[in-house]
Amino acid sequence: MAIPPPRNGRPKAGWSNGNFMIVPMGAKEPKGAWDFIKFWSGLTNPAVAAEFYTWGGWLPLSPAMTGSPIYQDYLKKYPQFKTFVDLMPSENIEVLPPVPYQQFLNDQFAKTEDAALRGTVSAKQALADLKSTLSSETKRRKELGYDQK
C-alpha cells in the first residue's frame, strides 16, 4: 500500500530513476547496439527480459514484463516489492532527468538525509543546511545564466 499523501498532496506520488542506454553517434555497430537495447529492455521479448530484472530487483519497464510468469513469481517471493510495481502507472510518479543539476540535488538530498539519520546534526539543522546550500547553488546558477524554470 502506498503512503497516504499529506493534506492537499498528490496521491501515489514519488520519483523514479532509471538507467539510460544510448548508442553513441560514432558507434561502429549501431544496429547491433540498438538490437541489444531492445533485447535488454524487453522490447524484443518481455518475458526473457523480465528474468534479468528479477536478478537486480529492478522495476519492470512494461506491463508485459510485469505480467510474465517469472516476474509474477518474483513478486510472490517478495510481495513488498509489488507496492512499487503498483505505483508505476501513477500519473504522479516523476522521472528525474539525467542532467548534472539533478544529480547535484540528489546528492544534496542524500547528504541531508544521511546527516539527520546518523545524528550528525538535528533534522531541523540538516534541512536548514540544505536550504542554504540550494539557495547558494541557485544564486550561482543564475549568475552563470542558467534558466531556473
Side-chain angles (χ1 to χ4, degrees), residues 40-139:
W40 187 260
S41 64
L43 293 173
T44 305
N45 189 330
V48 169
E51 182 175 0
F52 310 149
Y53 285 72
T54 65
W55 297 345
W58 301 319
L59 291 170
L61 297 179
S62 71
M65 287 174 73
T66 307
S68 72
I70 197 161
Y71 209 88
Q72 287 299 305
D73 288 345
Y74 179 77
L75 293 177
K76 286 176 187 163
K77 186 174 180 181
Y78 302 101
Q80 69 277 23
F81 195 74
K82 188 174 183 306
T83 300
F84 301 101
V85 173
D86 290 346
L87 287 173
M88 289 178 58
S90 172
E91 62 187 30
N92 294 322
I93 297 294
E94 303 282 335
V95 177
L96 301 177
V99 295
Y101 186 59
Q102 185 63 51
Q103 190 59 51
F104 170 80
L105 293 174
N106 288 344
D107 289 347
Q108 297 309 309
F109 295 153
K111 287 178 188 177
T112 300
E113 179 183 32
D114 186 60
L117 290 174
R118 291 179 181 272
T120 307
V121 296
S122 69
K124 187 174 182 176
Q125 183 61 51
L127 288 174
D129 293 347
L130 175 64
K131 184 177 180 180
S132 175
T133 299
L134 296 182
S135 292
S136 294
E137 181 64 11
T138 299
K139 180 181 176 197

Side-chain angles (χ1 to χ4, degrees), residues 10-32:
R10 296 182 299 162
K12 297 184 178 180
W15 62 270
S16 179
N17 65 358
N19 298 317
F20 298 89
M21 292 187 172
I22 60 169
V23 180
M25 202 163 168
K28 290 182 182 178
E29 296 291 338
K31 183 183 178 325

